[in-house]
Amino acid sequence: MRIARFTTGEDPQYGVVTGELDEFGQPDEDAVVVALAGDPLYVGMKLLDQEHQLSDVRLLAPVLPRSKVVGIGRNYAAHAAEMGNDVPAEPLMFLKPNTSVVGPGDPIFYPPQTSNLHFEGELAVVIGRICRDVPPEQATDVIHGYTIANDVTARDLQKGDVQFTRAKGFDSFCPLGPWIETDLDPQHFADGVRVQTFLNGDLKQDGSTADLIFDVPTLVSYVSSVMTLLPGDVILTGTPEGVGPMEVGDEVEISIAGLGTLTNKVAQR
Ligand code: MG
């Protein structure tokens, strides 16, 4: 099931997106959104007798993390190598503030403090319930679903600062969407799902989740051994090789097979 957050010009609502995705992750023309009574993370799945054509609504970030977005660095060996880093012995965690989250179609703002702004296409895990010290074999029980993220990074600031807060923490540095897919499980991603990033239509990243050094259950377990996870918290699983710069006016599309496509443009801040 694909759960979106959307607006028709009124207050944001949640809804279930119907229809099939084409090979580019785009929904078919007659896809509709069936509205839900509130956020299913908190009130469960209550379908309303109200639907809209998907093309008539504006999709918003499918989740607003109340506490945190947890990033994982260097989780694909080829990406660690392209950045001149070794593969970490344990997951490398960092935090992005929840104020960095924006939705599909929202601008990524290019801050004046950087001159090297990079895209990082990533699989994102949305947590469904409060949890701590989750064993890997129980990770599925605490996962609400999966979406797509762009872990936008000011590469020059990342290299200059000791830690990643500024480089990855600006407003608009965490586009999420287009919706949350709740029917997949970690094995689906362990088997290998393509993660592709296109810049102005040119393929820049073409990875597979089979190449994750630490898989989804390991990440949920590891992060939850450090900090309590709350419903709506998001874990970014790391980016494959091929990261690169974006300029003002560029359009970035991240596609994950079966999940859809997240599209954002870069704008001057
Ligand atoms: Mg990243």
Side-chain angles (χ1 to χ4, degrees):
M1 193 171 286
R2 291 190 289 269
I3 298 174
R5 194 166 144 267
F6 69 95
T7 178
T8 56
E10 308 288 325
D11 288 343
Q13 287 181 283
Y14 292 82
V16 176
V17 178
T18 68
E20 299 297 315
L21 302 181
D22 67 18
E23 61 178 312
F24 304 107
Q26 300 294 346
D28 54 38
E29 283 177 10
D30 50 1
V32 301
V33 187
V34 181
L36 291 164
D39 184 344
L41 267 176
Y42 301 101
V43 301
M45 293 288 297
K46 296 179 186 165
L47 288 166
L48 297 176
D49 186 18
Q50 179 194 125
E51 65 177 48
H52 307 273
Q53 290 294 126
L54 183 61
S55 51
D56 289 343
V57 308
R58 183 163 81 87
L59 294 179
L60 306 170
V63 60
L64 291 179
R66 289 195 178 178
S67 71
K68 53 196 171 290
V69 176
V70 182
I72 302 294
R74 302 170 197 163
N75 201 23
Y76 290 80
H79 170 63
E82 75 177 342
M83 304 306 294
N85 295 310
D86 291 331
V87 170
E90 293 182 277
L92 174 64
M93 285 174 58
F94 59 89
L95 291 175
K96 289 169 88 84
N98 57 2
T99 44
S100 65
V101 171
V102 292
D106 286 338
I108 296 166
F109 288 109
Y110 201 122
Q113 294 95 324
T114 178
S115 55
N116 194 14
L117 189 68
H118 277 205
F119 54 82
E120 294 189 358
E122 308 197 5
L123 170 68
V125 180
V126 182
I127 298 298
R129 38 183 266 216
I130 186 168
C131 58
R132 192 175 67 176
D133 293 332
V134 180
E137 60 274 16
Q138 288 175 21
T140 305
D141 299 343
V142 305
I143 293 172
H144 175 53
Y146 300 86
T147 190
I148 303 168
N150 190 344
D151 177 20
V152 177
T153 302
R155 198 66 73 198
D156 46 357
L157 304 185
Q158 185 187 30
K159 291 196 171 114
D161 291 354
V162 174
Q163 41 71 45
F164 296 175
T165 305
R166 185 167 65 134
K168 289 175 178 284
F170 285 90
D171 288 1
S172 79
F173 272 28
C174 192
L176 294 175
W179 39 64
I180 298 168
E181 173 58 70
T182 61
D183 290 340
L184 301 175
D185 62 29
Q187 188 59 47
H188 175 77
F189 294 104
D191 290 342
V193 173
R194 280 179 101 176
V195 179
Q196 296 177 300
T197 304
F198 300 85
L199 187 70
N200 302 320
D202 294 335
L203 181 62
K204 297 291 185 182
Q205 295 187 282
D206 192 4
S208 168
T209 55
D211 295 328
L212 286 168
I213 296 167
F214 301 105
D215 63 10
V216 168
T218 303
L219 294 178
V220 170
S221 179
Y222 187 87
V223 174
S224 74
S225 74
V226 177
M227 55 187 77
T228 298
L229 291 169
L230 302 182
D233 282 352
V234 174
I235 299 175
L236 311 183
T237 59
T239 199
E241 70 178 316
V243 299
M246 306 180 283
E247 306 298 338
V248 170
D250 284 351
E251 182 179 76
V252 188
E253 295 168 280
I254 303 169
S255 290
I256 299 184
L259 287 188
T261 299
L262 171 66
T263 305
N264 299 89
K265 274 190 171 176
V266 182
Q268 191 71 53
R269 173 157 157 173

